Amino acid sequence: MSWSFSSRRVAIVVVMALLLFLAALGGTPTRASARPTMRVAPLAELASHRHWQAPPTTTDCEAAAGVACYQPAQLHQAYDLKGLYARGLDGAGSTIAIVDSFGSPTVRTDLREFDHDFGLPAPPHFRIIQPAGQVPAFDPNDATMVGWAEETSLDVQWAHAIAPKANLLLVETPVAETEGVHGLPEIVRAENYVIRHGLADVITQSFGATEETFPSVRSLLRLRSAFVNAARHHVTVLASSGDAGATDYQRNGVDLYTHRVNSWPSSDPLVTSVGGTQLHLDAAGMRTQPDNVWNDTALLGGPDAAGGGRSHVFARPPYQDRVRSVVGGHRGTPDISMSAAVDGGVLVYLGFPASGLTPGYYIFGGTSESSPEFAGIVAIAKQRAHHRLGLLNPRLYALDGRRAAGIVDVRRGDNTVSFEQNGSTFTVPGFDAHRGYDLASGWGTVDAGRLTAALAR
């Protein structure tokens, strides 16, 4: 089940509660109806059930919640990271900047618990800054703040899980990002600060707004200064591709467009758009079947699928000329994909105070998961190259989907979504995965051992 703030953070995490119920209680996870603030299994309702204090296994999650969940070691195996770690390629010397509104009051202690439980080292340096203004005090009864705290925990823990020796820089902003321009000027100001002061090598953004919700194209284009600045300073910028398949939310954050749309900053040509796949892993992290495009719409009853499609603002950039038959004259997204499914979600520790929230582990999915994961891959590639990589897209497209270069084609699934709205049922046809580049998974997913070598050349 997905949740979104009143802004609809396009690429926001999809959360499924991991307040896993005792079989003896006969409990099953529930799905909350859509609300202006967020959609998630109601915390107050779930708090009365037995909670998992220790991280559950995939079998535990399947038995109690009906979905698979994965621990860091399983993704390390699935993405061919273990060999890199054995060679000391673990992000050391790189810095990942994670940008989130408000942040989380317990982000440091939550990461320590996560690291302790999964045997991960603490990051060499973990700094929190608020360059766009002081963040207001955390209000445990404010659903928007609680949602951003959940987002922050996901971003920090899983960027770190992929690149455990990278430095982390959490960049907190004082205004919630929403549809249209609200909250984005503060984010742009904060990112420009990071870039000007040389504080990070890669920036991950698990948020966005539907292109059509901006007052004008010009108002969107005025927000690009951080990405231009990043390109000049060879800083890599990533963004999640979205969680509503080929559609996304209108300005009110509740209603969806009933036709294909795309979201920014994922659609920006100066940003690498990270889409979502579904992993099928055993306890050791070995694949039991090939990855497919993430689409939990049938499972969760709403538009819950990897974002992807053609921009209505940006023309096709030169690096996409080789896929012009797919994107036409428009910027197409995503560029690459990683794990994002709820059925196959990752475990995140939450310890902050909130109404009805029991500290412990929860299952998270959505492309808000895939962007920080890919940031970890970029951090390792930067370490391997001994220099910043800058805008990745020309290099990614030059690899032309080659398996030998670490691109693993995804040929199953689509991002078509159906949903009920204002008394009617709508289906927005998405895009099918197929051989080579497509608008459901981009070039596909990654073999990190090979891809970090290819990007570092």
Side-chain angles (χ1 to χ4, degrees):
M1 66 203 78
S2 67
W3 51 262
S4 63
F5 302 117
S6 54
S7 64
R8 175 51 188 177
R9 295 185 298 145
V10 172
I12 207 162
V13 296
V14 177
V15 181
M16 177 171 242
L18 197 177
L19 289 169
L20 295 172
F21 309 114
L22 287 178
L25 293 176
T28 56
T30 60
R31 176 182 171 83
S33 59
R35 298 182 297 169
T37 50
M38 68 177 182
R39 291 185 292 145
V40 65
L43 296 176
E45 177 182 335
L46 293 176
S48 62
H49 293 276
R50 174 75 176 270
H51 180 61
W52 288 84
Q53 295 296 327
T57 65
T58 301
T59 300
D60 292 333
C61 293
E62 290 172 336
V67 298
C69 64
Y70 300 132
Q71 301 184 5
Q74 289 168 284
L75 265 64
H76 295 166
Q77 176 63 45
Y79 288 122
D80 192 26
L81 287 158
K82 290 185 176 181
L84 293 175
Y85 299 156
R87 296 164 56 193
L89 294 168
D90 46 20
S94 301
T95 300
I96 301 170
I98 298 156
V99 184
D100 283 307
S101 297
F102 303 138
S104 163
T106 59
V107 63
R108 291 187 185 276
T109 55
D110 289 356
L111 181 61
R112 283 198 291 270
E113 183 68 28
F114 183 84
D115 288 344
H116 173 269
D117 289 343
F118 294 120
L120 296 171
H125 300 283
F126 182 13
R127 183 182 175 192
I128 301 174
I129 61 173
Q130 299 176 354
Q134 185 175 355
V135 170
F138 180 72
D139 180 354
N141 297 310
D142 184 326
T144 299
M145 276 194 160
V146 171
W148 278 104
E150 293 173 337
E151 172 68 61
T152 301
S153 296
L154 168 67
D155 293 347
V156 167
Q157 290 171 30
W158 279 90
H160 176 60
I162 299 299
K165 290 293 183 68
N167 302 317
L168 300 179
L169 177 69
L170 175 58
V171 185
E172 299 175 343
T173 64
V175 180
E177 180 273 322
T178 68
E179 292 294 350
V181 300
H182 187 77
L184 288 170
E186 290 80 7
I187 287 172
V188 172
R189 192 180 316 145
E191 291 180 346
N192 271 314
Y193 178 92
V194 169
I195 296 161
R196 285 197 307 270
H197 290 82
L199 301 181
D201 305 301
V202 54
I203 297 172
T204 176
Q205 306 169 110
S206 292
F207 54 80
T210 312
E211 291 176 334
E212 282 76 1
T213 64
F214 288 85
S216 65
V217 170
R218 185 178 178 183
S219 68
L220 186 160
L221 297 179
R222 283 201 296 261
L223 294 166
R224 301 185 70 220
S225 64
F227 305 152
V228 174
N229 199 8
R232 289 173 179 163
H233 289 82
H234 307 291
V235 175
T236 303
V237 182
L238 314 177
S240 304
S241 72
D243 294 342
T247 186
D248 227 306
Y249 283 79
Q250 299 181 34
R251 191 173 296 179
N252 64 14
V254 178
D255 295 323
L256 291 142
Y257 286 93
T258 57
H259 56 82
R260 291 172 174 172
V261 296
N262 211 321
S263 64
W264 184 87
S266 167
S267 65
D268 200 294
L270 295 177
V271 171
T272 297
S273 172
V274 188
T277 58
Q278 181 179 26
L279 291 170
H280 307 272
L281 307 178
D282 64 16
M286 302 298 294
R287 283 177 170 81
T288 59
Q289 57 181 290
D291 301 2
N292 54 269
V293 177
W294 164 49
N295 195 331
D296 280 323
T297 298
L299 173 69
L300 301 174
D304 297 284
R310 301 180 183 93
S311 171
H312 296 161
V313 173
F314 298 101
R316 183 185 72 236
Y319 57 76
Q320 287 194 316
D321 285 349
R322 66 182 63 229
V323 295
R324 63 178 56 139
S325 63
V326 178
V327 303
H330 306 267
R331 159 68 163 136
T333 64
D335 300 306
I336 200 74
S337 294
M338 290 188 74
S339 171
V342 174
D343 187 2
V346 293
L347 297 172
V348 175
Y349 186 84
L350 303 179
F352 53 82
S355 178
L357 177 65
T358 303
Y361 282 93
Y362 293 77
I363 302 173
F364 278 65
T367 57
S368 280
E369 170 197 339
S370 55
S371 184
E373 288 171 350
F374 194 66
I377 302 294
V378 175
I380 296 171
K382 181 265 177 181
Q383 176 193 7
R384 198 164 187 169
H386 304 290
H387 59 75
R388 289 178 177 168
L389 303 181
L391 177 63
L392 286 186
N393 295 351
R395 203 167 314 177
L396 275 177
Y397 283 79
L399 298 178
D400 204 27
R402 297 193 304 274
R403 181 64 184 254
I407 304 295
V408 182
D409 202 7
V410 173
R411 303 183 188 181
R412 302 192 309 158
D414 61 63
N415 61 356
T416 295
V417 293
S418 296
F419 53 92
E420 292 188 7
Q421 184 166 286
N422 300 323
S424 299
T425 300
F426 298 93
T427 296
V428 178
F431 303 92
D432 293 329
H434 56 70
R435 184 183 181 90
Y437 180 85
D438 56 67
L439 295 170
S441 69
W443 283 108
T445 190
V446 309
D447 176 326
R450 294 177 175 182
L451 181 60
T452 55
L455 293 177
R457 292 193 186 105

